[in-house]
């Protein structure tokens, strides 16, 4: 994923990091894994999921995805609800997926803070690479539907936007007052909720916008530009209809899930071609399963369909490796096989976009997390 390929190469791992990459690395005393005939790739990355926060086979008891009683919950932290014991983590490793962005769902206008985690381990604090990694916001059908029957705001798109603007307006005022007080050496009473917005306002993390329809995408862009903040456009189902506007915004798109059922009005135009059309227009694209909407282990399949329908093989592979890492803010450590980066590597029997391909080995932080013994 650096633009360089080795038809017959070696990767040297030491102390959890990639030490060297080359055609041949003479090194004695190492454990050697012979991947001859396979594909050695950076570990795959899903840039938008609810892995372990919407647990498999546990129903309401294991569903901590949406705090659907208050439309404004910026203080919620996904890290407090991710269960690494959930079986979907095993499925992720068996698919060569080593990194995922995990966070709240889209019932709320402001849903809370995402975390970027690795898929191997039992202690979420040790698995976490970045938290907070993004602030979830949602437009359109989901927040409208969730609160309309409660006879509370929001029930229209205008209200969703107004509520978000008010939150950001108050957060900006709060940050100005805090900075002024600190510069003057005066005491300042911190607000737990508003503190959550400071990483967004300081552009350390992006808003993570749940947007499907073209008009919602444009509204999200309008508000982000108004407050001068970073943003990712998640799902971006109708993004291909306004590809030039998205390119002009400079915001990346995390496209999908394109193989899930079209159960909502907003996803009526869902199609694997969206990623390719956005990439052609100059938008940086990642692919998502939106697990558990589409199961995490089908990330390669989602990317493969996008490749078939216009994204192309190389860009599809980038969409689930280095592009996903860049969009998630972790490309300094993962997403490509380069010296100095974390040793998160997957070995496949063939191109991971192909349906008949098997994962043979998954390495996270230099340790084998999944392995199929060769007969």
């Amino acid at each position: 994923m650096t633009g360089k390929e080795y038809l017959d190469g070696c990767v040297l791992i030491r102390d959890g990091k990639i030490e060297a990459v080359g055609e041949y690395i003479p090194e004695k005393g190492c454990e050697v894994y012979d991947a001859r005939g396979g594909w050695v790739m950076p570990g795959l990355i899903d840039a938008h999921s609810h892995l372990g926060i919407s647990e498999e086979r546990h129903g309401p008891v294991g569903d901590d995805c949406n705090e659907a009683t208050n439309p404004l919950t910026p203080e919620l932290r996904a890290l407090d609800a991710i269960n690494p014991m959930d079986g979907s983590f095993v499925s992720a490793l068996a698919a060569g997926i080593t990194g995922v962005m995990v966070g709240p769902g889209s019932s709320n206008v402001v849903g809370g803070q995402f975390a970027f985690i690795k898929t191997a381990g039992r202690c979420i604090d040790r698995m976490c690479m970045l938290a907070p990694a993004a602030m979830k916001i949602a437009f359109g059908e989901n927040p409208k539907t969730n609160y309309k029957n409660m006879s509370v705001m929001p029930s229209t798109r205008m209200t969703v936007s107004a509520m978000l603007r008010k939150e950001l307006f108050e957060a900006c005022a709060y940050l100005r007052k805090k900075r002024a007080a600190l510069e003057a050496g005066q005491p300042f009473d911190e607000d737990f909720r508003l503190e959550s917005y400071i990483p967004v306002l300081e552009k350390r993390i992006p808003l993570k916008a749940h947007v499907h329809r073209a008009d919602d995408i444009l509204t999200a862009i309008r508000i982000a530009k108004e407050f001068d903040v970073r943003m990712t456009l998640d799902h971006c189902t109708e993004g291909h209809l306004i590809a030039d506007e998205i390119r002009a915004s400079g915001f990346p798109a995390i496209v999908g899930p394109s193989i899930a059922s079209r159960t909502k009005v907003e996803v009526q135009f869902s199609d694997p071609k969206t990623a390719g059309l956005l990439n052609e227009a100059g938008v940086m694209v990642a692919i998502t399963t939106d697990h558990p909407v589409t199961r995490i282990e089908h990330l390669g399949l989602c990317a493969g369909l996008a490749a078939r329908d216009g994204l192309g093989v190389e860009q599809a592979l980038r969409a689930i490796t280095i592009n996903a890492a860049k969009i998630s803010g972790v490309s300094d450590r993962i997403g490509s096989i380069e010296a100095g980066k974390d040793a998160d590597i997957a070995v496949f029997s063939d191109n991971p976009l192909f349906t008949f391909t098997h994962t043979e080995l998954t390495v996270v932080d230099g340790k084998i997390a999944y392995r199929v013994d060769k007969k």
Side-chain angles (χ1 to χ4, degrees):
M1 296 298 100
T2 63
K4 187 173 183 179
E5 295 180 6
Y6 295 96
L7 295 179
D8 186 10
C10 299
V11 181
L12 178 63
I13 296 170
R14 193 187 307 275
D15 298 327
K17 296 288 185 178
I18 298 170
E19 185 169 294
V21 185
E23 292 287 352
Y24 174 70
I25 303 172
E27 183 68 28
K28 297 180 180 180
C30 290
E31 177 185 355
V32 177
Y33 184 87
D34 185 357
R36 194 174 307 169
W39 281 47
V40 180
M41 294 278 300
L44 306 187
I45 299 169
D46 193 328
H48 177 113
S49 80
H50 310 289
L51 186 74
I53 200 170
S54 287
E55 298 177 46
E56 293 185 335
R57 301 184 296 276
H58 289 293
V61 175
D63 186 3
D64 292 303
C65 199
N66 287 290
E67 181 55 54
T69 60
N70 182 343
L72 300 168
T73 54
E75 69 275 23
L76 300 188
R77 301 177 185 179
L79 204 62
D80 296 327
I82 302 169
N83 180 10
M85 304 296 183
D86 182 42
S88 54
F89 281 85
V90 176
S91 299
L93 289 168
I97 299 166
T98 59
V100 287
M101 182 76 98
V102 182
S106 50
S107 285
N108 293 347
V109 177
V110 181
Q113 302 170 17
F114 267 64
F116 192 95
I117 64 171
K118 297 197 178 186
T119 52
R122 294 184 177 179
C123 174
I124 197 65
D125 301 273
R126 295 179 183 175
M127 298 161 67
C128 181
M129 284 186 64
L130 184 62
M135 175 67 75
K136 178 66 176 286
I137 60 175
F139 293 84
E141 185 174 347
N142 284 10
K144 280 182 56 178
T145 302
N146 186 62
Y147 289 98
K148 190 167 188 177
N149 294 331
M150 298 183 190
S151 298
V152 296
M153 295 194 296
S155 63
T156 69
R157 280 179 164 79
M158 292 182 293
T159 311
V160 169
S161 299
M163 294 176 76
L164 177 59
R165 277 196 179 93
K166 184 179 179 182
E167 282 285 287
L168 294 174
F169 181 85
E170 292 178 353
C172 287
Y174 172 81
L175 181 55
R176 286 194 300 270
K177 291 178 181 178
K178 181 176 182 178
R179 286 174 173 172
L182 293 175
E183 289 175 4
Q186 298 175 348
F188 182 80
D189 292 330
E190 292 185 341
D191 184 299
F192 181 62
R193 286 185 66 262
L194 295 177
E195 282 286 326
S196 304
Y197 288 109
I198 291 180
V200 174
L201 298 178
E202 293 181 340
K203 295 187 176 182
R204 287 185 277 128
I205 66 172
L207 292 174
K208 196 169 183 63
H210 167 102
V211 281
H212 284 288
R213 268 179 28 176
D215 57 338
D216 289 328
I217 296 170
L218 293 172
T219 297
I221 292 172
R222 186 182 314 119
I223 294 174
K225 294 295 184 181
E226 183 179 333
F227 289 92
D228 190 26
V229 295
R230 295 166 52 205
M231 186 167 64
T232 66
L233 300 169
D234 293 47
H235 308 306
C236 210
T237 303
E238 294 184 8
H240 58 284
L241 302 177
I242 49 169
D244 290 340
E245 285 80 3
I246 294 175
R247 177 190 51 77
S249 76
F251 297 136
I254 303 172
V255 180
S258 57
I259 61 173
S261 178
R262 295 168 178 161
T263 55
K264 301 191 300 182
V265 173
E266 290 184 350
V267 297
Q268 61 181 313
F269 297 121
S270 176
D271 195 287
K273 70 182 180 184
T274 299
L277 292 171
L278 287 172
N279 176 72
E280 185 179 344
V283 178
M284 180 178 286
V285 171
I287 300 289
T288 176
T289 62
D290 196 22
H291 177 90
V293 179
T294 298
R295 285 161 54 185
I296 189 92
E297 59 264 38
H298 298 321
L299 180 62
L301 174 59
C302 293
L305 292 172
R308 181 199 67 186
D309 288 358
L311 185 57
V313 172
E314 182 176 351
Q315 288 302 319
L317 291 172
R318 294 180 68 85
I320 54 175
T321 54
I322 190 61
N323 281 9
K326 288 178 179 178
I327 292 171
S328 300
V330 291
S331 60
D332 60 324
R333 289 181 57 185
I334 61 173
S336 59
I337 299 179
E338 298 181 79
K341 286 196 172 184
D342 294 2
D344 292 1
I345 294 174
V347 178
F348 301 98
S349 62
D350 206 325
N351 188 330
L353 305 183
F354 296 169
T355 56
F356 286 102
T357 296
H358 296 283
T359 306
E360 297 183 350
L361 184 76
T362 304
V363 175
V364 180
D365 290 326
K367 297 180 180 179
I368 295 174
Y370 173 84
R371 181 173 189 165
V372 173
D373 291 330
K374 294 184 178 180
K375 300 297 183 181

